[in-house]
Amino acid sequence: MTYTSTLIGYPYIGDDREWKKALEAFWRHELIEEDFQAKLKSIRLSRIEKQLQLGVDVVTVGDFTFYDRMLDTALMFGLVPKRFNWQGGKVDLHTYYSVARGNKSAVASEMTKWFNTNYHYIVPEYEGQTLQITENKVLADFLEAKAAYDIIAKPTLIGPYTFFKLTKGYSKLTQVEYLLALLPLYAQVIQELVDAGAHWIQLEEPSLVTTLDPEDLKLVQEIYSQLATTVPAAKLMLQTYFEALCSYETLITLPVQGFGLDFVHGYKGNIESLRKFGFPNDKVLAVGVVNGRDIWRSNLAEVNATIQAIEKLGDAKELWIQPSSNLQHVPISTSLEVKMDPVLKQALAFADEKIVEIIQITKFRNNQDGIHHHNFSESMKTIEALKNHPIRQNKIIQQAVQTVSMQDFARHSDFTQRQKLQQQALALPLFPTTTIGSFPQSDEVKRNRNAWRKKQLSNEDYETFIEQETKRWINLQEDLDIDVLVHGEFERTDMVEYFGEKLTGFAFTEKAWVVSYGSRCVKPPIIYGDVAWASSITVKESAYAQSLTKRFVKGMLTGPVTILNWSFVRDDISRKDVAYQIALALRREVEALETAGISIIQVDEPALREGLPLRKEEWGDYLDWAVNSFKLATSSVKDETQIHTHMCYCEFNDFIEPISELDADVISIETSRSHGELISSLQVNPYTKGIGLGVYDIHSPRVPSEEEMLAIMRDSLQVLDRHQFWVNPDCGLKTRKEPETLAALANMVVATKKLRQEVKESISR
Ligand code: GLN
Ligand code: ZN
């Protein structure tokens, strides 16, 4: 048996986020296109060089992007939405970024979560456009790597089935015409790669790990048999990840030359399938054995045992050894962390360290290292050391989690009762206007925070600055005549770090960035110990803001499930137990806010949905503890205290029930990029508590008009009672600039006032 080391994909953001910086400089017109292209080329090549230096046998190309790989694929096929007035030919960067981010005259394409990750891709839109190859970018990348390093890289594409499934806009009627147009183009791209000398081509098909019905299966079979006949010379590696391959016995016979399976997240299912059905002896099996989603070192002895088991169960003619998914979901290298707790650091593996693990295990299997057990015991020692770390020994909190009971999840009274009491206490107008929490993190805010972090600004001066900014925005909100105010979140960079810093059990990194959407990167904290409340987190900021105004200011917390889902989480106890630990800590914070006189408390759960398992049959279990965690954090307040929550990118259709079960008094959700769908799903599944439908898209700098927002509000009132309806942008405003924010909010308030007038007239009529 021969073993080959390879990757599904490698992060593209650069060791120091050079990629992000280049994109943003280009958008600000600080980089001309030529220099921008040169910069991106150097980033693209340096990642290949690094992989070669580390010793990866087969390097992957096509995993790089200028914004998002789904967008690249769509535009490669000429799938430019008509509103961007593209005239055909190569898609220029202006059009490319307009589709991604919107421009003055057209809204951006919708963005949504990439399976169960925290990455968001641009949703391709089929509107009956004439499809055509605009540019074979993967081929360009392949040739570039060949020219620079004399290598035959493995080009990767988002596979045709997944791409088709994730496109929106076709109907049962037009889907055939779409597919018939799409497949020859896939064939052409692949043929060009083969002609250029590519040996293997990786087609990424994560949709094949979701639940597939017979119709889906037939479609997959048709797609692949067509490819096999149109590009017979191509060697296709059908790559799956994030779960076990669905309908293994059927799909494994597809006419491709190799299969990539996830033996980390899909371990159980894939091993079972191998045991039952074996593996075809004419295909290569690429085994994802090092976790591509977490940051922990692998237990190499276990990895080795997994590979041995796989070998015994199947007849694969060759094995490729690789991480379980694209490494874009993990940071680049632990070597960039200099301040970290050494016990923790030694137990970590980011992308580069995972590559080292892959190489070690490949070499060991190929016996290039002789018998080499000491590598294995090294990884075990670091894992053991972390287990015994004092940060994991908080008996009180461990005990508290075990003794949580049903009562701890419930508010005193039910929603109808609370609604009455809250309306008496708060006396808000019809269609209360509010925002989601954050206001623009201006250059000044960032500058001050950096100076303070570098100790160039004292604690007092920093706090004074934050207070000034809060005060300025309280005044601005009053001038805008917004009803329920927020303090603006100037003290935080992102939604988790600020909380993690004040709770026990968290570690923070310096450079451990991962991409979240477009150029936006996040630096997830690491939950490596027991989580407990140590001192108040947000009370000072909220109470200060409230002291400045007669209007209500919302307290603003990140919820337990989001903190969990947006962190890298210890894997020695269950996620549920970690979530309950966080929830108990937040419960104390919620109580502290209430005691400090805050009457409306928003607990954001934008990441609730993204924790959903990929397989529907596992949803119930997750939702039980996730919903309970939210309730554990929020249910101890008085009936009069109004609990809000907020979610983004919420595909609502299958999710209204769990949202309702959170028992929040008001929820605000992202909808402006997919408004129509939400309205129709509310028609089918009525929602009865307070709800704010985002009336404009904050992910784009575009300022929406009054009329546009008014239209959305009128639509919403078709399916919602007027006493339920809140008006707000669809997410926090921290990434926006101040002028566009003020302009958009001014339009939003005017639109709301018009709506109130309309409703008043219609009632009096
Ligand atoms: N309160 C947060 C903010 O406004 C919510 C952000 C989010 O949903 N991602 O920034
Ligand atoms: Zn949001």
Side-chain angles (χ1 to χ4, degrees):
M1 176 69 78
T2 59
Y3 305 85
T4 305
S5 60
T6 189
L7 305 181
I8 296 174
Y10 183 81
Y12 45 77
I13 58 176
D15 288 4
D16 203 17
R17 285 180 301 156
E18 298 87 341
W19 178 83
K20 171 204 175 68
K21 291 170 192 164
L23 261 63
E24 290 174 2
F26 179 64
W27 297 339
R28 288 193 304 264
H29 307 288
E30 290 165 15
L31 256 187
I32 58 164
E33 177 161 347
E34 201 186 333
D35 296 344
F36 175 59
Q37 292 280 7
K39 178 76 204 164
L40 262 61
K41 177 172 178 177
S42 87
I43 298 172
R44 207 158 49 230
L45 288 179
S46 67
R47 338 161 32 245
I48 295 181
E49 192 164 323
K50 191 198 278 176
Q51 292 172 53
L52 290 171
Q53 273 165 8
L54 288 170
V56 174
D57 294 325
V58 177
V59 169
T60 307
V61 292
D63 57 346
F64 187 83
T65 181
F66 279 58
Y67 192 90
D68 166 62
R69 294 181 53 228
M70 281 294 283
L71 176 66
D72 296 346
T73 315
L75 299 198
M76 169 167 81
F77 297 136
L79 217 53
V80 182
K82 290 176 186 158
R83 61 185 181 279
F84 295 99
N85 292 323
W86 170 67
Q87 301 300 329
K90 191 176 155 184
V91 179
D92 58 296
L93 280 179
H94 174 74
T95 307
Y96 179 89
Y97 285 126
S98 293
V99 180
R101 309 173 66 229
N103 61 30
K104 283 210 173 61
S105 45
V107 291
S109 280
E110 190 183 328
M111 192 163 46
T112 199
K113 266 169 46 63
W114 181 242
F115 296 87
N116 57 356
T117 71
N118 182 23
Y119 177 72
H120 303 86
Y121 67 92
I122 299 287
V123 181
E125 294 175 46
Y126 178 64
E127 304 169 320
Q129 303 99 313
T130 313
L131 299 197
Q132 54 188 278
I133 301 284
T134 61
E135 188 192 7
N136 190 340
K137 258 201 203 161
V138 189
L139 175 65
D141 289 357
F142 174 81
L143 294 173
E144 182 183 80
K146 194 167 168 188
Y149 301 107
D150 197 21
I151 53 169
I152 302 291
K154 169 187 63 173
T156 186
L157 294 162
I158 308 284
Y161 177 72
T162 299
F163 185 73
F164 170 77
K165 275 310 244 196
L166 301 186
T167 303
K168 72 168 201 183
Y170 54 78
S171 63
K172 274 244 172 322
L173 233 68
T174 54
Q175 70 170 30
V176 178
E177 115 198 341
Y178 175 45
L179 248 184
L180 287 180
L182 192 61
L183 285 182
L185 300 188
Y186 261 102
Q188 186 185 333
V189 167
I190 293 171
Q191 188 61 50
E192 287 174 8
L193 286 166
V194 173
D195 293 344
H199 294 166
W200 278 94
I201 294 153
Q202 170 174 281
L203 296 177
E204 295 174 47
E205 293 283 19
S207 284
L208 297 185
V209 308
T210 60
T211 314
L212 302 174
D213 59 31
E215 216 173 296
D216 294 326
L217 282 177
K218 214 176 111 215
L219 190 62
V220 178
Q221 286 169 318
E222 279 166 11
I223 289 175
Y224 277 89
S225 62
Q226 173 154 355
L227 278 186
T229 33
T230 44
V231 278
K235 280 180 152 182
L236 302 178
M237 169 57 71
L238 199 160
Q239 187 64 60
T240 65
Y241 41 79
F242 300 151
E243 244 300 347
L245 177 63
C246 185
S247 302
Y248 181 98
E249 68 279 26
T250 313
L251 293 182
I252 208 72
T253 63
L254 287 176
V256 292
Q257 289 63 41
F259 258 93
L261 302 177
D262 181 337
F263 285 98
V264 177
H265 301 96
Y267 178 83
K268 223 175 117 236
N270 279 331
I271 287 282
E272 234 168 73
S273 295
L274 274 179
R275 185 166 290 133
K276 277 200 211 142
F277 308 107
F279 187 83
N281 59 14
D282 59 343
K283 294 193 200 321
V284 170
L285 175 55
V287 293
V289 281
V290 163
N291 195 328
R293 298 280 297 276
D294 80 1
I295 50 162
W296 306 109
R297 268 179 88 146
S298 307
N299 181 334
L300 288 179
E302 256 171 35
V303 171
N304 186 46
T306 303
I307 297 173
Q308 279 174 316
I310 295 168
E311 244 180 277
K312 278 213 193 85
L313 295 171
D315 285 325
K317 77 174 199 195
E318 200 188 311
L319 285 192
W320 290 4
I321 299 184
Q322 62 187 23
S324 63
S325 64
N326 191 323
L327 292 174
Q328 71 159 318
H329 307 295
V330 297
I332 293 186
S333 170
T334 61
S335 68
L336 304 169
E337 303 303 321
V338 291
K339 296 187 195 147
M340 188 180 272
D341 175 346
V343 178
L344 172 62
K345 183 170 169 177
Q346 277 185 25
L348 294 178
F350 296 169
D352 290 356
E353 292 76 31
K354 285 178 190 289
I355 295 179
V356 171
E357 292 181 338
I358 293 286
I359 309 274
Q360 274 179 3
I361 203 87
T362 310
K363 282 195 175 153
F364 175 77
R365 299 294 313 160
N366 278 329
N367 216 357
Q368 287 168 358
D369 267 6
I371 299 184
H372 214 219
H373 285 291
H374 67 265
N375 280 335
F376 295 176
S377 60
E378 183 60 30
S379 72
M380 255 130 63
K381 256 194 277 175
T382 61
I383 295 167
E384 196 60 26
L386 186 58
K387 199 169 135 202
N388 297 323
H389 197 297
I391 203 157
R392 291 192 172 177
Q393 323 297 332
N394 187 336
K395 297 285 176 279
I396 298 173
I397 181 80
Q398 290 168 8
Q399 178 72 23
V401 164
Q402 296 318 315
T403 51
V404 161
S405 74
M406 284 310 283
Q407 268 132 277
D408 299 324
F409 300 135
R411 295 283 297 262
H412 303 293
S413 309
D414 66 10
F415 173 70
T416 331
Q417 175 70 9
R418 300 196 310 260
Q419 192 180 29
K420 262 186 243 140
L421 295 170
Q422 287 166 17
Q423 188 51 27
Q424 278 163 21
L426 303 171
L428 294 170
L430 198 57
F431 316 131
T433 50
T434 190
T435 60
I436 303 304
S438 57
F439 281 124
Q441 296 254 329
S442 61
D443 291 341
E444 206 191 354
V445 172
K446 288 182 196 155
R447 219 176 21 249
N448 274 287
R449 182 179 305 116
N450 283 337
W452 169 67
R453 287 210 169 129
K454 290 189 187 131
K455 304 217 165 18
Q456 293 156 357
L457 192 68
S458 70
N459 286 345
E460 295 86 81
D461 288 350
Y462 180 60
E463 274 165 34
T464 310
F465 169 75
I466 298 281
E467 286 192 347
Q468 274 167 7
E469 193 66 2
T470 307
K471 186 168 187 181
R472 195 168 71 81
W473 273 95
I474 290 286
N475 294 339
L476 285 169
Q477 291 173 88
E478 287 190 328
D479 294 346
L480 286 163
D481 200 14
I482 293 177
D483 302 309
V484 173
L485 313 191
V486 294
H487 75 280
E489 303 183 18
F490 301 108
E491 75 289 355
R492 9 187 143 150
T493 36
D494 71 63
M495 296 190 63
V496 181
E497 187 175 54
Y498 188 74
F499 292 84
E501 274 170 353
K502 305 209 174 181
L503 297 166
T504 68
F506 285 75
F508 295 89
T509 61
E510 291 154 80
K511 297 255 151 109
W513 297 97
V514 290
V515 60
S516 163
Y517 71 87
S519 67
R520 186 159 178 79
C521 298
V522 292
K523 198 151 61 72
I526 301 172
I527 303 179
Y528 74 121
D530 291 322
V531 178
W533 190 87
S535 61
S536 80
I537 307 169
T538 58
V539 175
K540 205 175 94 233
E541 289 77 11
S542 290
Y544 171 71
Q546 184 63 82
S547 75
L548 301 170
T549 175
K550 290 205 173 62
R551 303 184 189 216
F552 291 104
V553 178
K554 288 192 274 191
M556 193 60 61
L557 305 176
T558 304
V561 187
T562 297
I563 293 185
L564 181 86
N565 284 341
W566 284 356
S567 299
F568 288 114
V569 183
R570 59 193 286 192
D571 57 358
D572 62 318
I573 62 174
S574 72
R575 288 178 79 78
K576 170 184 166 180
D577 282 356
V578 181
Y580 279 16
Q581 289 190 356
I582 306 169
L584 285 169
L586 291 175
R587 188 177 173 100
R588 286 190 63 174
E589 183 67 14
V590 167
E591 287 163 4
L593 282 170
E594 187 181 52
T595 309
I598 304 297
S599 308
I600 306 183
I601 301 170
Q602 178 173 312
V603 179
D604 293 324
E605 285 290 21
L608 183 75
R609 195 178 201 286
E610 73 191 39
L612 279 176
L614 288 170
R615 299 276 170 85
K616 273 221 160 139
E617 53 276 22
E618 289 157 27
W619 280 25
D621 183 48
Y622 165 78
L623 284 172
D624 274 351
W625 61 255
V627 167
N628 279 343
S629 303
F630 179 86
K631 292 165 92 175
L632 188 55
T634 53
S635 60
S636 61
V637 291
K638 298 182 293 207
D639 285 342
E640 288 80 359
T641 299
Q642 190 167 62
I643 297 288
H644 287 219
T645 187
H646 164 73
M647 292 181 190
C648 340
Y649 314 119
C650 210
E651 286 155 43
F652 228 55
N653 302 349
D654 43 11
F655 213 55
I656 291 186
E657 213 180 284
I659 286 180
S660 177
E661 269 169 30
L662 296 176
D663 204 21
D665 299 302
V666 180
I667 177 177
S668 59
I669 46 176
E670 200 255 26
T671 50
S672 48
R673 282 195 185 190
S674 56
H675 190 70
E677 288 142 55
L678 178 84
I679 298 289
S680 44
S681 77
L682 281 172
Q683 226 142 21
V684 189
N685 310 290
Y687 186 79
T688 50
K689 301 184 187 94
I691 184 164
L693 298 187
V695 295
Y696 77 89
D697 175 16
I698 64 91
H699 301 91
S700 151
R702 190 175 160 273
V703 174
S705 70
E706 242 169 78
E707 274 312 312
E708 248 172 85
M709 289 191 266
L710 198 53
I712 291 187
M713 295 179 203
R714 287 192 194 112
D715 274 1
S716 313
L717 284 179
Q718 304 286 314
V719 290
L720 294 170
D721 184 272
R722 60 174 190 276
H723 298 293
Q724 287 181 271
F725 188 50
W726 285 64
V727 173
N728 47 260
D730 71 353
C731 196
L733 294 158
K734 62 171 159 272
T735 55
R736 295 274 62 91
K737 298 266 178 279
E738 182 163 333
E740 72 214 26
T741 302
L742 292 174
L745 290 175
N747 288 355
M748 182 185 90
V749 172
V750 174
T752 309
K753 289 181 178 167
K754 283 195 179 158
L755 185 73
R756 284 179 192 145
Q757 191 59 31
E758 278 179 23
V759 168
K760 210 167 115 196
E761 281 162 17
S762 83
I763 295 173
S764 63
R765 238 185 276 130

